[in-house]
Amino acid sequence: MNIHEYQAKDLLRRYGVAVLDGHVAWTPDEAAAAAAKLPGPVYVVKSQIHAGGRGAGHFADDPAGKGGVRIARSAAEVREAAAAMLGHVLVTKQTGPAGRKVHRVYVEAGCDIARELYLSLLVDRASGRVTIVASAEGGMEIEEVAAHSPEKILRVAVDPATGFFPFQARRLAFGLGLSAAQAGAFGKFVAAMYDAFIALDCAIVEINPLVVTGAGAVVALDAKISFDDNALFRHAELEALRDEAEEDPKELEAAKHALNYITLDGTIGCMVNGAGLAMATMDIIKLYGAAPANFLDVGGSATAERVTAAFKIILSDPHVEGILVNIFGGIMRCDVIADGVVKAAREVKLSVPLVVRLEGTNVAQGKAILAQSGLPIIAADNLADAAEKVVAAVKEAA
């Protein structure tokens, strides 16, 4: 689960991470009032969306205009900047051409920036440890730095048995070229950031840029936090921070039915039981010349109602040109899947090719239900046959 910058900073502040003063606003007047609470004379107005690159982005109705992060030098300018952002669609590298509508802005105190650095904590799957990543190339996307100047990326893995040590921060500070005084402030910053990461069950905490001010202070100029969804049951207060307007509506609907669904950019909708089988299904669709429109695992004990819901979610994607249902019945019975598929196809008035491959528990009953439905369902004998048939059917329909 992702949250907005202002929410991330509020959480980090509670753990002692140095952040600038700021206030969230939903209207231009609220933005001007927020500026009045700050010392000035410089303010920064930031669009709040779940995407990076806001400053370098542009608004859909003003492609040549300013981006989603603007400097203001009076409350009037803050109001003007907020009015230009709120209710408008911001397009960045991370949003794609569709962009995201801005519903709120963050008005923050200005900062005397001497240097911009990069700092993040994440779970390194290779080592199985929380890893601190730092770079002197702050303000840039870390992927670009890794691609063009990998030697500028510093990494320190934290042993979960011992936790974070001050010498690890000093090692990073030396690599970043910080002075002794700055290294002390940096060490306190990293220690507080690590405490927040562990306590909140984060997947990533990213500060880009992390700035060194003219006075030598180390402050988070931006903040991004993503939480481990599997740990949210321990943090009811974090669930309240979710902004559903920033999430894919299909994924939200899937979560209501306990379905594992992720939107992809292909044209073949997939409904499978089991994550491994789902991955294999997506791979073989690619092998036969198409691309999956989604990852959807209905689980091992889905009901006909959940299968129907899954079918509707797949068809709500306008890019879907065909559907492949691939079920191996263990705990999940093939006749239950068949019932759900037939019910859903009738309810939504199926208009794209549908290929179904069933195997396992009650497979004969399941195939009989499909055959007797009177619907144009294409049966498949195995996974390769199913992928070949759905790709061919989509091409023929086009």
Side-chain angles (χ1 to χ4, degrees), residues 48-352:
Q48 296 297 286
I49 60 172
H50 289 179
R54 293 168 295 165
H58 67 272
F59 285 91
D61 54 359
D62 187 17
K66 298 178 181 179
V69 178
R70 305 185 186 184
I71 304 295
R73 290 176 171 78
S74 68
E77 288 187 9
V78 168
R79 179 186 285 105
E80 181 182 349
M85 298 178 187
L86 290 165
H88 297 267
V89 175
L90 178 60
V91 181
T92 78
K93 288 183 178 179
Q94 293 188 14
T95 65
R100 296 274 180 85
K101 181 176 284 190
V102 178
H103 297 285
R104 63 193 88 178
V105 297
Y106 188 48
V107 182
E108 191 172 57
C111 181
D112 176 19
I113 302 173
R115 286 189 65 190
E116 293 189 357
L117 309 172
Y118 174 91
L119 181 67
S120 69
L121 272 76
L122 50 85
V123 178
D124 180 9
R125 302 299 178 185
S127 65
R129 297 183 176 186
V130 174
T131 299
I132 306 169
V133 180
S135 174
E137 301 295 317
M140 293 182 60
E141 293 184 12
I142 197 66
E143 293 83 2
E144 292 185 11
V145 179
H148 300 104
S149 306
E151 73 283 357
K152 294 183 179 180
I153 297 179
L154 310 174
R155 294 180 178 84
V156 170
V158 180
D159 190 327
T162 58
F164 174 75
F165 282 108
F167 81 86
Q168 294 174 310
R170 290 195 293 270
R171 180 187 300 173
L172 291 171
F174 177 80
L176 294 171
L178 298 177
S179 67
Q182 293 168 351
F186 178 81
K188 293 179 181 178
F189 188 101
V190 178
M193 190 169 157
Y194 179 81
D195 289 344
F197 186 97
I198 298 300
L200 297 172
D201 286 310
C202 297
I204 185 170
V205 176
E206 183 180 60
I207 309 298
N208 187 27
L210 171 70
V211 301
V212 179
T213 68
V218 178
V219 181
L221 201 63
D222 194 4
K224 172 185 177 181
I225 293 182
S226 180
F227 301 104
D228 182 350
D229 289 348
N230 296 310
L232 286 176
F233 72 94
R234 291 198 286 257
H235 304 281
E237 75 284 0
L238 298 180
E239 284 277 13
L241 302 179
R242 184 187 294 274
D243 182 0
E244 293 189 352
E246 290 289 322
E247 300 184 33
D248 188 315
K250 296 187 293 296
E251 294 179 11
L252 286 172
E253 182 64 21
K256 294 177 183 177
H257 298 279
L259 297 167
N260 295 308
Y261 177 94
I262 299 173
T263 300
L264 301 175
D265 56 5
T267 59
I268 306 297
C270 304
M271 185 169 71
V272 191
N273 65 323
L277 187 59
M279 297 297 289
T281 302
M282 293 191 294
D283 285 344
I284 203 164
I285 288 172
K286 292 284 286 185
L287 179 65
Y288 279 90
N294 63 272
F295 170 98
L296 197 162
D297 174 13
V298 296
S301 58
T303 62
E305 288 71 27
R306 280 178 63 191
V307 171
T308 302
F311 215 84
K312 290 180 178 179
I313 292 168
I314 292 174
L315 288 173
S316 68
D317 184 346
H319 299 105
V320 169
E321 298 176 358
I323 299 175
L324 172 55
V325 176
N326 182 26
I327 300 297
F328 184 84
I331 298 173
M332 166 63 71
R333 292 162 32 204
C334 292
D335 57 323
V336 172
I337 289 291
D339 275 334
V341 168
V342 170
K343 181 180 178 182
R346 285 175 174 156
E347 284 190 25
V348 300
K349 297 181 180 178
L350 186 66
S351 59
V352 298

Side-chain angles (χ1 to χ4, degrees), residues 338-339 341-343 345-346 350 354 356 365-378:
D339 275 334
V341 168
V342 170
K343 181 180 178 182
R346 285 175 174 156
L350 186 66
L354 169 62
V356 179
Q365 294 94 317
K367 288 182 177 180
I369 290 170
L370 296 177
Q372 296 165 12
S373 68
L375 297 171
I377 298 173
I378 304 170

